[in-house]
Amino acid sequence: MSAIQSKGQPLPFAGAGVSMRELLAAGEAAVLISTPPRAPEPDLSEPAEDHREAA
């Protein structure tokens, strides 16, 4: 039995050799993927056809 197991303490999660930088990058990528795209902005360069001339 190893010294860690005999103390009754759980083993720390090692993350299978993943660096903190990779974990942070994966979290940022998950946020980007799960965020829906923004709605397109209305095009204000063309005049609206609903306006009429004043009498």
Side-chain angles (χ1 to χ4, degrees):
M1 188 182 268
S2 72
I4 293 176
Q5 290 174 341
S6 65
K7 292 181 182 178
Q9 296 176 350
L11 293 174
F13 182 72
V18 179
S19 70
M20 182 58 74
R21 178 177 289 173
E22 291 172 337
L23 289 173
L24 292 172
E28 290 178 14
V31 169
L32 289 174
I33 290 172
S34 64
T35 304
R38 291 183 7 187
E41 305 251 341
D43 187 16
L44 301 176
S45 63
E46 298 177 13
E49 296 180 15
D50 295 341
H51 296 295
R52 294 186 284 175
E53 293 284 326

